[in-house]
Amino acid sequence: MLTCRAVWKKLAPLARASSTVCRQNVRRAGWNNARTPLCVPVAHMSTGPVGGGSDNLKYALLVGASFVGGLTYAVITLKGDQKRHVERMAEISSRKQKSASQIQTEPAAPLETKLEAAAAPDAEAAAPSETAEPPPVDEPLAEASAEEAAAPLTDAGVEEAADSKPSLPSHAPYLLIGGGTASFAAARSIRARDPDAKVLIVTDEPDLPYMRPPLSKELWFSDDPSVTETLRFKQWNGKERSIYFQPPSFYVDAEELSGAENGGVAVLTGRKVVHMDVRGNKVKLDDDMEISYDKCLIATGGVPRNLQVIERAGEEVMKRTTVFRKIDDFKSLDKVSRNAQSITIIGGGFLGSELACALGRRSTESGLEVIQMFPEKGNMGKVLPEYLSNWTTEKVKKEGVKVIREAVVKSVSYKDDKLEIKLKDGRVVRTDHIVAAVGLEPNVDLAKSAGLEVDSDFGGYRVNAELQARSNIWVAGDAACFYDIRLGRRRVEHHDHAVVSGRLAGENMTGANKPYWHQSMFWSDLGPDVGYEAIGIVDSSLPTVGVFAKATAKDTPKAATEESGTGIRSESETEDTASSAVAPAAPAPVVSHRDEYGKGVIFYLREKVVVGIILWNVFNRMPIARKIIKDGEEHVDLNEVAKLFNIHED
Amino acid sequence: MSSVRQEGKDKIIFVTKEDHETPSSAELVEEDPNDPYEEQGLILPSGEINWNCPCLGGMASGPCGTEFKDAFSCFHYSKEEVKGSDCLEQFRTMQECLQRYPELYPKEDDAPSSQASEESASAESASAEASDPAAGSEKDSDPTLPNTESSAES
């Protein structure tokens, strides 16, 4: 024990000196008693006393006494230390048995490093009474107790598997904030690349990670009356799947994460990260629990926006308004749709149009009135060029939706058991329930405490091309405003982007250093007859070139999924090599359409370079579209580029 | 005959099948098979296995990830005449693990061990396809459950 050694070192010279002196005195005394005075010269030490015998004796006694006294003091102190140490250990082990959340209040990291430094030279037994060589023996007591506090914490970390009651982890090598698509994709990526990685996902939702697209599409088309409970949906090809990425057995319990031999992914549900300490590499949850990390991903997604006029309209209106994003929103809207007589969807984008079509379908059975209103001239007005937006609006109407275009809501009030929506141009709409699908507010709550930059143009955390915000912190998914090498800085709110960026963040968290390069895609279905896939910047304010062919009955989303044998469309490219496509049916007769835009390709241009492509009712050609965007070339004749897609084939 | 229409800033072209029969004159940039930024297939240019390949589904990242990696690595580097015949132990261990999670890895119809080696074979041929740039077979991200999907992923 170092204390002993330190003490001994201090006492040793004194001891040595006094022992020599003693020996010398003894010798002299001996000789004085000896018969034969052998006049052997005695080597005098500098410390040796010269002088008379009685003086010598007095001195000898003095030195001896002080030596013994010193020894006694040392022994007493050490015994006291040991006693204190034993008491302390007992106290701490009794503390260990208390509830998990109370254990960790001090930061483990600085104490751990301190301990490591001290532990390096000495004992394997993590001796708690190690100190860093302090000169006085009594000083290290205070330090020792601090070190002792740290020791059981590391002990707890090391011996958690052996512990009778494992606790929630106070440290996660990989901490993912948010439990959505991006987070799950990152977790999978990390586990694939870092063997035995321990990944902790913290989410404020009560659910395990799930995918969002079916909430506004497939789940509504299910025949199963218990779909709100099972959350399973049957795809066109008959295969059934849950919206959850993985069943609960895939995940490791959070308490067992630290001790898991091969690592794993653990999900802590119902906890919100409220504070982030970047310098200390740790976060604080809403229950005051602290978790430190080595690498952290922020994938907090966003919160649906609502109209200000609704928020100011009072409780009766708010009670009858749904903002749609989570599983609970789906459940409650499903319930409403079975009881209400009229539902109005405010918003003409992806979510609004998909929900309108889904509810419109239901309306044919139940007599439910479905209204959709938006400020633009047509559905997807901000995405599709005007002619296509108009065509799509007609399709949405065919799904049973009453579409009110160029509608700006002025006020909403609750009157006579109905919601009354007054538009700026004077029109009034009376309805039972409102669904607000007016955009997403990216969640940047942690920006302030973490000192992270927020983008003023697109919202979200500002990150570089490798999705990194600062050292050891990455952001992916809806909340990430990232630099796209090809297309410039942007923020994307699509499912496939969450997967792509989550995967990339996971790769970079495990040392890959790759920029965002594989362009994500998105898709939308408006009923079973209209569907499109898109990639890149698809903004209706850009000049477009559309190349169309006449559609046959085969060119529908339904046919596409049947052929590729999959459900979610972005999957079909992954399964490409694995499964063989189902042989297409005999060629269907050409169906004559009143409309002209059966199927085709639409190019979005920015200074003659294609930055976005929509594949309109043309499927399984995304790799070609991706290639064209990646090249970033100026093509003189886009009709020639369109030939690459073989739009007349299946 | 193709027809062209202009509506403001948007150009609309209608083409018949015959219009598109002549090969395209559009030029595409040549692919670099060793581009580090690109999504990799199952086998990396170095010869190693890309565990993050979407084609593997969640096999390498799930609870049996370690066992799967051991078995598949052994198979990949096996120099035996019957490839993988020296890896029976690893495959058996993996099989035992898969059986512990029936929810994640539902039982297939074929015998599991032979199917595993079949999958490895098909995955390897898939990777050969994947590394062919002209095929444009970049894989999209895989956002879904592996177990209900195609054979290569179970």
Side-chain angles (χ1 to χ4, degrees):
Chain A
M1 299 209 310
L2 276 176
T3 352
C4 283
R5 216 188 282 158
V7 167
W8 183 247
K9 275 195 191 135
K10 289 235 39 122
L11 293 174
L14 186 60
R16 226 182 293 128
S18 47
S19 70
T20 327
V21 168
C22 280
R23 260 187 275 126
Q24 288 208 318
N25 289 340
V26 165
R27 237 186 263 157
R28 228 172 264 131
W31 286 338
N32 289 344
N33 295 337
R35 266 201 193 257
T36 327
L38 281 170
C39 292
V40 180
V42 171
H44 283 273
M45 287 186 60
S46 52
T47 52
V50 188
S54 63
D55 275 341
N56 279 352
L57 190 60
K58 267 190 221 151
Y59 186 75
L61 275 174
L62 192 65
V63 170
S66 58
F67 170 62
V68 169
L71 259 181
T72 318
Y73 176 68
V75 168
I76 289 173
T77 313
L78 286 171
K79 275 226 165 75
D81 265 346
Q82 192 182 21
K83 188 166 145 228
R84 249 182 298 267
H85 161 60
V86 167
E87 277 172 15
R88 186 93 180 138
M89 288 302 285
E91 197 220 304
I92 282 163
S93 26
S94 70
R95 229 200 294 151
K96 253 198 236 177
Q97 256 106 60
K98 285 190 196 156
S99 70
S101 55
Q102 286 169 357
I103 282 191
Q104 171 62 287
T105 48
E106 309 157 356
L111 278 175
E112 272 179 340
T113 49
K114 214 164 138 196
L115 254 187
E116 273 166 38
D122 246 3
E124 305 92 351
S129 54
E130 277 172 48
T131 56
E133 306 263 349
V137 178
D138 50 12
E139 241 184 44
L141 289 180
E143 259 190 83
S145 49
E147 303 278 5
E148 281 164 9
L153 288 171
T154 46
D155 279 349
V158 165
E159 290 161 14
E160 214 149 30
D163 234 2
S164 55
K165 207 174 181 186
S167 53
L168 289 174
S170 55
H171 174 80
Y174 297 98
L175 179 67
L176 312 186
I177 304 176
T181 306
S183 195
F184 182 78
R188 195 183 251 194
S189 194
I190 292 169
R191 288 277 300 153
R193 288 173 52 88
D194 180 359
D196 309 332
K198 293 174 188 162
V199 181
L200 179 65
I201 295 176
V202 180
T203 172
D204 62 1
E205 285 194 61
D207 301 296
L208 294 173
Y210 60 91
M211 57 181 82
R212 261 178 241 294
L215 290 180
S216 60
K217 291 186 276 292
E218 286 89 341
L219 285 182
W220 291 94
F221 303 138
S222 168
D223 300 319
D224 184 356
S226 64
V227 68
T228 49
E229 292 309 316
T230 64
L231 299 173
R232 292 184 75 84
F233 57 99
K234 205 181 257 184
Q235 301 150 228
W236 296 109
N237 53 16
K239 273 199 208 169
E240 216 187 58
R241 184 210 280 124
S242 163
I243 62 167
Y244 290 99
F245 287 112
Q246 293 285 4
S249 49
F250 174 87
Y251 304 99
V252 166
D253 280 339
E255 289 86 353
E256 283 153 31
L257 185 64
S258 307
E261 198 190 302
N262 290 335
V265 181
V267 182
L268 217 51
T269 54
R271 314 285 182 104
K272 197 177 164 97
V273 176
V274 295
H275 187 274
M276 189 163 183
D277 176 0
V278 170
R279 241 198 273 206
N281 285 333
K282 60 186 198 274
V283 301
K284 189 156 84 163
L285 307 186
D286 52 359
D287 58 359
D288 281 337
M289 180 176 162
E290 282 196 351
I291 305 178
S292 63
Y293 59 83
D294 295 330
K295 313 268 179 193
C296 181
L297 173 75
I298 299 178
T300 44
V303 172
R305 290 198 182 121
N306 199 345
L307 291 175
Q308 270 197 341
V309 291
I310 292 180
E311 283 176 334
R312 286 183 287 193
E315 210 205 299
E316 289 302 316
V317 173
M318 285 294 276
K319 246 175 27 185
R320 292 167 174 78
T321 304
T322 305
V323 284
F324 196 89
R325 182 154 171 95
K326 305 183 190 178
I327 290 178
D328 282 340
D329 302 322
F330 164 71
K331 289 182 179 177
S332 82
L333 187 60
D334 176 83
K335 201 162 156 202
V336 166
S337 71
R338 294 178 197 278
N339 299 324
Q341 288 166 330
S342 163
I343 297 181
T344 300
I345 297 159
I346 303 182
F350 291 102
L351 185 60
S353 305
E354 285 173 6
L355 282 176
C357 287
L359 288 172
R361 265 282 208 95
R362 264 203 196 174
S363 72
T364 53
E365 303 142 21
S366 61
L368 168 72
E369 183 193 38
V370 182
I371 304 166
Q372 186 186 8
M373 58 169 68
F374 42 79
E376 295 86 29
K377 284 193 192 161
N379 284 85
M380 316 301 306
K382 288 193 183 153
V383 173
L384 302 176
E386 200 175 319
Y387 63 92
L388 214 48
S389 166
N390 293 337
W391 187 90
T392 307
T393 310
E394 295 308 309
K395 271 292 175 186
V396 170
K397 282 185 188 166
K398 281 213 184 78
E399 291 296 307
V401 181
K402 292 195 180 127
V403 179
I404 304 179
R405 313 175 196 220
E406 294 178 281
V408 179
V409 177
K410 187 171 155 192
S411 73
V412 183
S413 48
Y414 179 60
K415 234 182 240 178
D416 303 326
D417 205 30
K418 283 269 194 193
L419 290 178
E420 199 173 84
I421 305 171
K422 284 208 183 107
L423 302 179
K424 272 208 174 124
D425 59 8
R427 288 179 283 181
V428 176
V429 174
R430 306 194 79 236
T431 189
D432 294 320
H433 199 93
I434 291 177
V435 178
V438 294
L440 187 79
E441 189 64 47
N443 182 341
V444 290
D445 289 346
L446 293 173
K448 193 154 182 213
S449 59
L452 297 176
E453 202 181 354
V454 172
D455 190 273
S456 42
D457 296 319
F458 300 101
Y461 296 97
R462 205 178 262 178
V463 295
N464 62 13
E466 283 97 17
L467 304 183
Q468 195 173 28
R470 284 179 63 174
S471 300
N472 301 327
I473 303 177
W474 288 262
V475 188
D478 292 351
C481 177
F482 66 102
Y483 182 66
D484 184 322
I485 298 175
R486 245 316 153 239
L487 300 175
R489 184 159 284 279
R490 52 204 277 250
R491 189 174 66 82
V492 180
E493 288 174 5
H494 291 298
H495 172 86
D496 192 50
H497 170 76
V499 179
V500 168
S501 63
R503 271 189 80 218
L504 178 66
E507 288 181 316
N508 289 342
M509 287 163 85
T510 49
N513 297 326
K514 282 166 61 176
Y516 189 93
W517 188 241
H518 176 93
Q519 198 56 244
S520 62
M521 55 84 79
F522 58 97
W523 76 95
S524 190
D525 289 328
L526 297 176
D529 295 326
V530 174
Y532 58 91
E533 298 178 343
I535 185 171
I537 297 180
V538 173
D539 183 338
S540 63
S541 65
L542 295 174
T544 67
V545 174
V547 181
F548 293 91
K550 280 208 155 51
T552 64
K554 278 192 288 177
D555 305 316
T556 60
K558 188 171 172 184
T561 53
E562 277 169 353
E563 200 173 283
S564 61
T566 62
I568 303 262
R569 203 132 58 238
S570 64
E571 234 181 271
S572 65
E573 299 191 78
T574 328
E575 323 303 84
D576 225 4
T577 53
S579 63
S580 53
V582 172
V590 173
V591 177
S592 63
H593 281 263
R594 234 173 1 103
D595 323 277
E596 298 158 18
Y597 313 108
K599 55 177 181 172
V601 187
I602 302 122
F603 300 99
Y604 288 71
L605 301 161
R606 209 164 54 183
E607 285 155 30
K608 296 194 198 161
V609 174
V610 175
V611 293
I613 297 176
I614 287 189
L615 301 174
W616 190 255
N617 272 333
V618 160
F619 303 102
N620 299 320
R621 278 129 162 113
M622 196 43 73
I624 309 163
R626 186 173 283 119
K627 169 79 179 138
I628 292 166
I629 301 224
K630 187 177 79 162
D631 283 353
E633 301 275 300
E634 272 185 33
H635 292 278
V636 171
D637 186 356
L638 285 167
N639 189 21
E640 293 297 317
V641 180
K643 279 188 188 172
L644 297 170
F645 289 90
N646 271 325
I647 56 179
H648 299 275
E649 309 292 318
D650 284 326
Chain B
M1 279 302 289
S2 65
S3 65
V4 183
R5 192 168 93 223
Q6 189 83 26
E7 280 190 17
K9 59 171 177 62
D10 304 313
K11 191 167 162 186
I12 308 165
I13 304 171
F14 285 95
V15 288
T16 63
K17 196 165 172 182
E18 291 70 40
D19 291 329
H20 268 201
E21 255 167 9
T22 54
S24 171
S25 62
E27 281 171 25
L28 296 176
V29 173
E30 205 176 298
E31 284 290 326
D32 174 11
N34 293 323
D35 188 349
Y37 287 1
E38 287 295 333
E39 292 275 298
Q40 304 289 350
L42 181 61
I43 307 296
L44 297 169
S46 62
E48 285 168 3
I49 302 171
N50 175 21
W51 298 115
N52 209 11
C53 178
C55 58
L56 288 177
M59 283 306 292
S61 54
C64 299
T66 315
E67 287 82 356
F68 173 78
K69 283 183 189 174
D70 289 340
F72 196 51
S73 298
C74 175
F75 174 85
H76 179 60
Y77 293 112
S78 165
K79 300 266 182 293
E80 296 292 315
E81 222 182 274
V82 179
K83 198 165 166 74
S85 54
D86 51 340
C87 305
L88 293 177
E89 185 57 46
Q90 286 91 331
F91 275 102
R92 203 174 51 78
T93 317
M94 180 182 86
Q95 198 50 42
E96 282 165 15
C97 183
L98 298 182
Q99 278 165 354
R100 280 201 302 249
Y101 299 93
E103 228 188 346
L104 293 172
Y105 310 109
K107 246 169 122 28
E108 302 288 329
D109 288 330
D110 323 281
S113 55
S114 62
Q115 189 188 42
S117 45
E118 265 175 49
E119 284 161 15
S120 314
S122 67
E124 298 241 311
S125 59
S127 70
E129 280 174 33
S131 51
D132 176 9
S137 57
E138 289 141 80
K139 289 174 178 40
D140 241 334
S141 29
D142 173 52
T144 60
L145 282 173
N147 54 328
T148 54
E149 253 39 75
S150 52
S151 55
E153 288 184 356
S154 68

